[in-house]
């Protein structure tokens, strides 16, 4: 695709104009002084970045344009973005830990389990905290600023949701593989043993004591495994549930791709419409408030009526 | 993906080198250009957190200097004025200016003059100056489209604007594709000739350096034709999905506005019909109404199965699977309800307006012969009170276009009947159409009765029997494309501009219809491209027409022509 860069011509002309303007401005600098002072007074009134910004770039400054400081919520959003990045790094570690745990090893595997647990908890925690913080991004300032804030929220929410889904998918594959592994060698044995056990107990209970003992030992062992496996599964399930909760909260913020909400022109229209709607709501609220005065009066009068009625009845009773 | 991916590439390049939070500022034309090719969520991924129109930007004075501004505008004088005001009191930290077409030197000077704060970091021309609605179909959304029907003397300045916009759009297409074409135009159309010549001047003389691309063996072809050469296609009722939705409801920039239609849930009031994002639509956009019904039923059945299995959650594993698949499920639900709503609405309209009956006669008028039977059929429908005014008007127009010269008495009878029955009918509209697009003005063989070969072909088709009586019609464009494929486009009908010449068949062809294209024609182009004939066709027009739009253009042109002293 063809493009053409006109910046060079533009800069040349801009510099040419500047050099023409410069000698003129040096003669006018005397009168420029008081103008600049007035301008800075005006600026201090209209700043929306109150506590943070100490310098206000006035439109009358002739020097290089200084970049003003962004509003407070940008810091929050940047923190959330940093958290997401950290969570990504931890996810990579988790993948490695999963792979290691699934490999056949000589040891107990308990350390691996603990590492996996710790990592999973950490990641879930980061995601949950980021989700909550995202929802609470404070809004102040103009409509445009709140639009920017809303869009930043949406973008971070999409990232968070993708991470959560990723984590869940990793966990469920790990879980499935874990189940397959644990069931594999023991499952067949268990089945045979149980069916064999039952038939024998029915027929001849006290025959073959030795076999029974052997079977009891195997039973205990398989019980242990079952308990452990149940614990692991429960843990994973718990984190799955938590993530589901996070996803539900975030889904309000995330845009569905391919729908009308994902269209740029629709979003531009809605801004205009929502400003109008806001105005209507304000007017309605004003009206209701006025009416509210009436409602209050009427309520007071009704209460007074009741009170007087009660007094009347009391008077009749006591007299 | 050809046209859409060109626009996407441009936008990607605009945004990629600028880091940090950005605001994208567009004008009313570039909004359409960007919206059909790029989604809001993709913008968010590129850290564009605000999108605004250039005229509303100046209304606020609030300084947002932590944002970098990316402007993507058409280089019009109004936009340059808006920019001047912005640059005089800048609101954003940095300004990156991208224009969708060629800038004049004076415009650059005006901008440089007002940039006292030196906030502008770059000024570039990125030639995405067309709305890429489908893979091989683009439009320009030209306002005041009707002006092409009027002679130049009536309103020369507006006509010049029209031509400039069209030439800019066509130039942008070729710059985006990095080609310089051989240009041919329809002989009988003055405006086609004018546009072809101005395009040639731009590409070969004024900006020949810019268009000097690596030459391929066979240059691509640009063919500029006039809508009035085929007035039948926009008047016909359509029965294939995309064309039908546009005809009955209306599609604008791949969006369908359903707000006038009864009570719909909030998220169904405006829907998106884009072949890029909707797989079901992509598979069904060129299918006819009966097949669509069946396919939608299949889609609904699939969806219901998934919904039922979602309700049947018993184990925790089921729940986990449900949460996993929830986003997909929600997307599918939205999609299914969108298509069901559209098809329901169209069925309702078909039933109300008795379109099956009307369309049968329309197709007969467009495709088959028999003046007497045609006259009877049209008269019967005119007498039928259930037929709406617009349908009656279309029937009479179709009859008039075909049997213009045969039996003028009967034609007058039809005109009178139409005038007496339709109170809103602007008298003389049909005659105006005949003056614009009558048999004397047309080049192409619209009814296949000029050329011996075409007559024979029609007879063969009649003997073979017709698959679907409602989709018999082939737009004239189909014949034009066939002629180009065989290298047999007649020089006498479609001459070359200047001293261009082309031997043999081109491999890339852009056909531009001045006055507007229709979705039936874009379907024809897509099917032709899919048939792997070795030639790639791209279709474009000043607007996308349906019968309502075409009639509106006719009425506007007639009104202006009447009130202008210059027209005889």
């Amino acid at each position: 695709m063809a493009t053409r860069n006109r910046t060079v011509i533009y800069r040349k002309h801009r510099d040419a104009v500047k050099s023409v303007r410069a000698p003129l401005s040096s003669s006018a600098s005397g009168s420029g002084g008081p103008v600049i002072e007035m301008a800075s007074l005006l600026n201090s009134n209209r700043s929306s970045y109150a506590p943070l910004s100490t310098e206000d770039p006035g439109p009358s400054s002739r020097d290089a344009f200084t970049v003003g400081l962004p509003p407070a919520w940008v810091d929050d959003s940047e923190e959330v973005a940093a958290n997401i990045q950290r969570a990504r790094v931890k996810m990579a570690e988790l993948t490695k830990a999963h792979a290691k745990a699934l490999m056949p090893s000589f040891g107990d595997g308990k350390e691996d389990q603990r590492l996996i647990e710790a990592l999973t908890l950490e990641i879930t925690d980061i995601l949950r905290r980021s989700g909550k913080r995202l929802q609470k991004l404070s809004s102040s300032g103009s409509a445009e600023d709140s639009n920017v804030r809303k869009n930043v929220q949406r973008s971070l929410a999409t990232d968070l949701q993708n991470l959560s889904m990723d984590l869940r998918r990793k966990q469920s594959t790990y879980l499935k593989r874990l189940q397959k592994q644990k069931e594999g060698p023991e499952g067949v044995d268990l089945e045979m043993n149980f069916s064999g056990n039952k038939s024998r107990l029915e027929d001849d209970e006290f025959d073959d004591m030795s076999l029974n003992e052997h079977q009891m030992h195997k039973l205990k062992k398989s019980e242990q495994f079952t308990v452990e496996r149940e614990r692991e599964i429960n843990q994973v399930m718990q984190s799955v549930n938590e993530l589901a909760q996070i996803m539900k909260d975030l889904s309000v913020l995330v845009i569905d791709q391919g729908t009308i909400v994902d269209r740029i022109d629709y979003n531009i229209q809605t801004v205009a419409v929502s400003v109008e709607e806001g105005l209507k709501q304000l007017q309605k609220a004003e009206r209701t408030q006025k009416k509210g005065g009436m409602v209050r009066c009427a309520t007071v009068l009704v209460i007074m009526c009741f009170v007087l009625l009660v007094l009347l009845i009391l008077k009749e009773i006591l007299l | 993906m050809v046209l859409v991916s060109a626009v996407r590439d441009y936008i990607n390049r605009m945004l990629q080198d600028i880091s940090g939070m950005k605001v994208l500022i567009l004008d009313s034309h570039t909004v359409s250009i960007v919206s059909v090719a790029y989604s809001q969520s993709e913008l968010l991924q590129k850290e564009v957190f605000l999108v605004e129109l250039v005229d509303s930007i100046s209304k606020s004075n609030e300084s947002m200097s932590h944002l970098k501004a990316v402007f993507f505008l058409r280089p019009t004088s109004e936009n340059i004025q808006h920019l001047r005001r912005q640059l005089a009191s800048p609101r954003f930290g940095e300004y990156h200016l991208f224009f969708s077409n060629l800038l004049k030197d004076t415009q650059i000077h005006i901008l440089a003059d007002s940039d006292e704060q030196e906030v502008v970091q770059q000024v570039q021309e990125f030639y995405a100056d067309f709305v890429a609605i489908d893979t091989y179909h683009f439009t320009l959304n030209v306002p005041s489209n009707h002006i092409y029907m009027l002679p130049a003397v009536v309103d020369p300045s507006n006509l010049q604007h029209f031509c400039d916009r069209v030439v800019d759009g066509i130039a942008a297409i070729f710059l985006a594709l990095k080609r310089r074409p051989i240009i041919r135009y329809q002989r009988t159309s003055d405006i086609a000739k004018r546009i072809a010549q101005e395009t040639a001047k731009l590409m070969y003389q004024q900006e020949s350096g810019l268009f000097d691309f690596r030459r391929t063996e066979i240059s691509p072809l640009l063919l500029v034709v006039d809508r009035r050469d085929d007035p039948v296609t926009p008047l016909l009722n359509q029965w294939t999905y995309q064309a039908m939705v546009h005809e009955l409801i209306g599609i604008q920039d791949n969006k369908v506005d359903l707000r006038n239609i009864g009570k719909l849930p909030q998220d169904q009031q405006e829907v998106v019909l884009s072949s890029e994002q909707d797989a079901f639509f992509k598979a069904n956009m060129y299918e006819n109404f009966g097949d669509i019904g069946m396919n939608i039923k299949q889609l609904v059945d699939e969806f219901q199965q998934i919904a039922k299995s979602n309700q049947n959650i018993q184990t925790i594993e089921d729940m986990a699977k449900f949460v996993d698949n929830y986003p997909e499920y929600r997307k599918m639900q939205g999609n299914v309800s969108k298509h069901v709503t559209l098809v329901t609405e169209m069925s309702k309209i078909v039933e109300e307006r008795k379109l099956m009956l009307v369309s049968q006669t329309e197709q007969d008028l467009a495709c088959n012969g028999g003046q007497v039977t045609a006259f009877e059929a049209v008269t019967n429908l005119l007498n039928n009170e259930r037929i709406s005014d617009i349908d009656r008007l279309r029937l009479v127009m179709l009859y008039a276009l075909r049997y213009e010269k045969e039996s003028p008495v009967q034609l007058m009878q039809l005109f009178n009947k139409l005038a007496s029955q339709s109170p809103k009918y602007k008298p003389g509209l049909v005659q105006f159409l005949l003056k614009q697009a009558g048999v004397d003005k047309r080049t192409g063989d619209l009814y296949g009765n000029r050329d011996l070969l075409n007559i024979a072909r029609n007879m063969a088709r009649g003997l073979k029997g017709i698959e679907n009586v409602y989709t018999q019609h082939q737009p004239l464009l189909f014949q034009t494309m066939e002629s180009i494929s065989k290298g047999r486009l007649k020089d006498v009908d479609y001459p070359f501009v200047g001293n261009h010449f082309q031997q043999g068949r081109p491999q890339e062809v852009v056909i531009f219809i001045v006055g507007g294209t229709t979705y039936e024609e874009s379907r024809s182009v897509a099917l032709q491209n899919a048939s792997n004939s070795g030639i790639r066709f791209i279709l474009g027009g000043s607007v996308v027409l349906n019968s309502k739009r075409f009639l509106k253009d006719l009425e506007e042109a007639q009104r202006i022509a009447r009130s202008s002293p210059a027209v005889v």
Side-chain angles (χ1 to χ4, degrees):
Chain A
M1 21 160 251
T3 62
R4 188 159 71 170
N5 197 337
R6 308 288 244 150
T7 317
V8 175
I9 303 179
Y10 180 83
R11 283 223 182 98
K12 213 166 46 166
H13 193 84
R14 186 169 70 185
D15 294 336
V17 169
K18 200 164 67 159
S19 60
V20 168
R21 222 185 282 133
L24 287 175
S25 74
S26 60
S27 62
S29 58
S31 56
V35 176
I36 297 178
E37 261 183 84
M38 284 238 311
S40 61
L41 273 174
L42 287 169
N43 284 341
S44 57
N45 285 343
R46 68 165 175 81
S47 166
S48 63
Y49 312 138
L52 291 175
S53 61
T54 48
E55 49 172 295
D56 245 330
S60 61
S61 67
R62 296 292 172 90
D63 311 338
F65 191 68
T66 51
V67 176
L69 294 170
W73 58 260
V74 174
D75 294 329
D76 285 336
S77 75
E78 278 177 6
E79 263 192 71
V80 175
N83 279 343
I84 291 179
Q85 198 49 36
R86 238 181 298 153
R88 279 211 189 99
V89 168
K90 295 248 183 266
M91 289 264 283
E93 285 177 30
L94 185 67
T95 322
K96 271 188 241 153
H98 276 170
K100 198 161 146 243
L102 284 175
M103 275 196 307
S105 61
F106 288 115
D108 198 348
K110 278 232 175 78
E111 270 191 39
D112 294 334
Q113 297 301 339
R114 238 175 291 146
L115 182 61
I116 290 179
E117 270 179 48
L119 275 176
T120 317
L121 270 171
E122 242 190 291
I123 298 178
T124 319
D125 199 41
I126 294 180
L127 291 178
R128 198 196 8 218
R129 265 187 301 131
S130 308
K132 283 219 178 69
R133 196 184 239 157
L134 200 55
Q135 284 177 334
K136 278 200 250 141
L137 273 187
S138 62
S139 73
S140 58
S142 69
E144 277 182 347
D145 191 52
S146 70
N147 257 336
V148 181
R149 176 189 56 88
K150 200 162 47 117
N151 283 329
V152 172
Q153 259 185 326
R154 272 187 189 156
S155 147
L156 290 171
T158 319
D159 286 340
L160 270 180
Q161 197 178 65
N162 288 340
L163 264 181
S164 325
M165 287 196 4
D166 221 7
L167 180 62
R168 294 204 46 259
R169 236 174 288 142
K170 283 203 171 89
Q171 278 185 327
S172 46
T173 40
Y174 172 65
L175 190 65
K176 266 187 225 137
R177 281 209 225 135
L178 196 66
Q179 277 182 348
K180 246 187 271 177
Q181 264 193 5
K182 294 273 159 87
E183 257 182 29
E186 300 290 340
V188 182
D189 262 351
L190 281 172
E191 266 198 58
M192 273 190 13
N193 276 341
F194 273 129
S195 59
N197 211 7
K198 236 197 262 177
S199 62
R200 254 180 239 155
L201 280 174
E202 277 177 2
D203 297 347
D204 230 349
E205 282 204 12
F206 292 100
D207 279 354
D208 298 28
M209 282 280 257
S210 55
L211 275 172
N212 262 343
E213 272 183 25
H214 182 61
Q215 279 161 10
M216 288 293 286
H217 178 66
K218 267 215 167 152
L219 256 175
K220 268 200 207 110
K221 217 171 152 195
S222 60
E223 262 186 51
Q224 265 183 348
F225 271 129
T226 318
V227 164
E228 237 192 79
R229 190 181 71 190
E230 215 179 294
R231 198 176 61 91
E232 281 167 18
I233 293 178
N234 274 343
Q235 251 174 9
V236 179
M237 280 305 168
Q238 201 182 19
S239 65
V240 160
N241 288 346
E242 275 193 36
L243 282 173
Q245 188 60 31
I246 295 176
M247 259 180 58
K248 200 165 70 101
D249 292 333
L250 288 177
S251 67
V252 190
L253 292 169
V254 169
I255 305 178
D256 281 325
Q257 298 199 345
T259 59
I260 188 73
V261 187
D262 204 14
R263 286 275 299 214
I264 299 171
D265 43 11
Y266 177 77
N267 281 309
I268 289 190
Q269 277 175 353
T270 356
V271 170
V273 169
S274 66
V275 169
E276 274 184 48
E277 284 291 313
L279 186 63
K280 275 193 222 144
Q281 294 288 343
L282 273 175
Q283 288 173 337
K284 225 198 305 184
E286 209 190 320
R287 263 179 279 144
T288 330
Q289 213 180 36
K290 285 202 195 126
K291 273 200 230 148
M294 296 285 284
V295 172
R296 241 183 305 145
C297 249
T299 325
V300 164
L301 287 171
V302 167
I303 291 178
M304 279 186 53
C305 281
F306 269 118
V307 165
L308 291 172
L309 201 63
V310 166
L311 284 173
L312 196 63
I313 296 176
L314 279 176
K315 203 174 80 170
E316 297 289 350
I317 295 177
L318 289 177
L319 278 182
Chain B
M1 284 285 277
V2 170
L3 295 172
V4 176
S5 57
V7 178
R8 285 178 66 93
D9 284 342
Y10 275 128
I11 301 176
N12 279 335
R13 269 183 58 170
M14 265 184 238
L15 301 174
Q16 76 189 19
D17 290 328
I18 308 174
S19 63
M21 300 188 12
K22 301 181 267 285
V23 51
L24 179 64
I25 300 166
L26 307 167
D27 68 29
S28 49
H29 286 274
T30 50
V31 156
S32 307
I33 295 172
V34 172
S35 301
V36 295
Y38 226 73
S39 67
Q40 178 86 354
S41 44
E42 286 170 331
L43 275 188
L44 290 181
Q45 275 177 2
K46 297 261 182 211
E47 294 191 287
V48 175
F49 292 126
L50 185 61
V51 183
E52 289 264 339
L53 288 178
V54 70
D55 21 14
S56 54
I57 272 266
S58 349
K59 290 198 185 134
S60 152
N61 249 337
E62 172 195 347
S63 163
M64 299 179 99
S65 43
H66 55 287
L67 295 177
K68 300 185 184 166
V70 177
F71 282 78
F72 180 46
L73 308 171
R74 293 207 68 238
T76 60
S77 45
E78 297 99 45
N79 286 341
I80 298 290
Q81 290 306 315
H82 281 302
L83 273 177
R84 254 191 59 193
R85 276 193 287 262
Q86 265 291 300
L87 293 177
S89 50
R91 289 179 58 199
F92 303 104
E94 288 179 12
Y95 280 67
H96 301 259
L97 307 181
F98 295 92
F99 291 95
S100 64
N101 220 304
L102 306 165
L103 277 170
K104 302 203 240 317
D105 281 345
T106 48
Q107 292 174 317
I108 302 183
H109 291 173
I110 295 177
L111 290 176
D113 279 343
S114 44
D115 187 16
E116 296 184 13
Q117 319 269 3
E118 300 199 6
V119 286
V120 173
Q121 309 292 320
Q122 52 176 325
V123 178
Q124 304 244 18
E125 292 172 357
F126 272 23
Y127 306 107
D129 206 8
F130 48 92
V131 183
I133 39 188
D134 275 324
T135 318
Y136 299 111
H137 188 197
F138 71 90
T139 181
L140 299 177
N141 282 341
V142 179
S144 306
N145 183 41
H146 54 270
I147 204 130
Y148 78 97
M149 293 191 193
L150 300 167
V153 294
V154 173
D155 194 347
S157 67
N158 272 335
L159 191 63
Q160 186 60 48
H161 283 159
F162 179 86
C163 289
D164 286 342
R165 176 70 185 101
V166 169
V167 170
D168 281 350
I170 298 177
I173 288 271
F174 282 103
L175 284 167
L177 296 176
K178 288 180 89 156
R179 294 270 189 275
R180 181 156 61 177
I182 303 286
I183 307 178
R184 295 173 75 164
Y185 61 94
Q186 179 186 326
R187 178 183 51 87
T188 46
S189 167
D190 287 334
I191 189 153
K193 179 171 177 184
R194 177 172 171 171
I195 288 176
Q197 285 175 337
E198 288 188 11
T199 311
K201 200 163 75 164
L202 178 71
M203 290 186 182
Y204 288 91
Q205 290 169 21
Q206 290 171 345
E207 297 280 351
S208 59
L210 185 61
F211 281 89
D212 195 8
F213 300 115
R214 181 176 61 85
R215 295 271 296 269
T216 53
E217 276 178 26
I218 308 177
S219 294
L221 172 67
L222 167 66
L223 179 63
V224 184
V225 295
D226 196 320
R227 173 80 265 158
R228 293 169 289 181
D229 206 33
D230 180 6
V232 170
T233 310
L235 286 173
L236 287 175
N237 198 34
Q238 300 297 325
W239 296 94
T240 59
Y241 199 13
Q242 186 185 37
M244 194 173 177
V245 173
H246 185 47
E247 175 65 33
L248 298 183
I249 307 176
I251 304 180
Q252 177 66 32
D253 298 336
N254 288 345
K255 279 190 308 179
V256 183
D257 189 352
L258 296 170
R259 280 176 291 200
N260 305 333
I261 311 235
K263 288 210 184 292
L264 287 171
Q266 180 74 13
D267 62 339
Q268 293 293 324
Q269 288 188 347
E270 260 192 282
V271 293
V272 177
L273 271 189
S274 158
S275 57
E276 310 274 322
Q277 296 170 335
D278 185 346
F280 179 81
F281 184 64
K282 188 175 177 129
N284 285 287
M285 57 199 279
Y286 301 129
E287 299 295 319
N288 65 53
F289 200 41
D291 292 337
I292 301 166
M294 281 190 350
N295 291 342
I296 286 193
K297 178 170 175 317
Q298 216 175 7
L299 190 71
V300 172
D301 284 340
E302 273 174 32
F303 176 69
Q304 273 183 342
Q305 264 192 356
I306 297 183
K308 224 182 295 183
S309 76
N310 274 345
Q311 286 177 348
N312 199 10
I313 298 181
Q314 290 180 340
T315 72
I316 298 189
E317 269 184 13
D318 281 348
M319 195 169 83
K321 225 189 327 167
F322 170 72
V323 179
D324 256 335
N325 296 333
Y326 185 64
E328 288 289 317
Y329 172 76
R330 208 160 77 149
K331 196 168 168 194
M332 199 179 174
Q333 185 186 39
N335 214 24
V336 169
S337 29
K338 168 175 80 180
H339 288 291
V340 168
T341 312
L342 282 173
V343 171
T344 317
E345 190 50 39
M346 291 198 295
S347 301
K348 236 193 323 178
I349 298 179
V350 167
E351 184 51 47
E352 269 173 31
R353 283 167 58 181
K354 304 265 167 270
L355 285 178
M356 296 225 128
L357 193 55
V358 174
S359 190
Q360 201 168 9
T361 312
E362 284 177 7
Q363 294 283 329
D364 279 339
L365 283 172
C367 309
N368 306 328
Q371 188 259 332
V372 181
T373 33
F375 179 71
E376 270 182 41
V378 175
T379 323
N380 283 341
L381 282 173
L382 282 184
N383 289 333
N384 188 337
E385 289 184 352
R386 308 277 292 278
I387 308 290
S388 68
D389 287 346
I390 190 177
D391 294 324
R392 287 193 196 134
L393 180 58
R394 286 188 314 173
L395 283 166
V396 174
M397 280 185 169
L398 286 166
Y399 178 89
L401 282 169
R402 180 143 199 167
Y403 302 113
E404 196 183 332
K405 304 289 184 193
E406 308 177 35
S407 177
V409 176
Q410 290 186 324
L411 194 58
M412 276 312 287
Q413 279 181 355
L414 286 178
F415 287 165
N416 294 336
K417 190 170 283 208
L418 185 64
S420 65
Q421 280 176 342
S422 310
K424 281 198 263 180
Y425 169 62
K426 311 249 180 332
L429 192 61
V430 188
Q431 287 93 325
F432 185 72
L433 172 66
L434 288 176
K435 240 194 324 186
Q436 294 278 326
V439 71
D440 308 324
K441 296 284 171 32
R442 298 198 297 262
T443 310
D445 192 2
L446 191 55
Y447 295 109
N449 49 13
R450 282 189 195 172
D451 191 348
L452 215 55
L453 190 60
N454 276 337
I455 298 178
R457 209 185 286 157
N458 274 347
M459 282 209 298
R461 229 180 349 148
L463 287 174
K464 195 169 65 166
I466 311 154
E467 250 181 52
N468 185 340
V469 75
Y470 295 106
T471 53
Q472 300 175 45
H473 177 253
Q474 292 267 32
L476 181 65
L477 187 70
F478 179 72
Q479 283 177 29
T480 315
M481 287 196 293
E482 268 195 354
S483 313
I484 297 177
S485 310
K486 300 197 179 113
R488 277 205 251 126
L489 195 64
K490 293 206 198 121
D491 287 356
V492 68
D493 288 335
Y494 299 98
F496 289 87
V497 157
N499 55 359
H500 293 184
F501 187 67
Q502 185 165 58
Q503 189 83 327
R505 322 171 341 158
Q507 287 179 328
E508 279 183 33
V509 182
V510 175
I511 302 180
F512 190 85
I513 306 186
V514 179
T517 54
T518 60
Y519 279 117
E520 186 182 350
E521 287 161 335
S522 89
R523 171 176 182 266
S524 207
V525 168
L527 293 178
Q528 176 80 16
N529 281 334
S531 73
N532 276 335
S533 62
I535 302 188
R536 187 177 73 175
F537 287 95
I538 294 178
L539 178 68
S542 41
V543 294
V544 180
L545 292 171
N546 54 12
S547 57
K548 241 189 306 204
R549 187 75 203 261
F550 186 58
L551 290 173
K552 197 167 74 124
D553 283 344
L554 272 175
E555 283 175 14
E556 264 304 303
Q558 185 195 30
R559 189 183 60 83
I560 298 179
R562 278 227 178 116
S563 60
S564 157
V567 177
V568 171

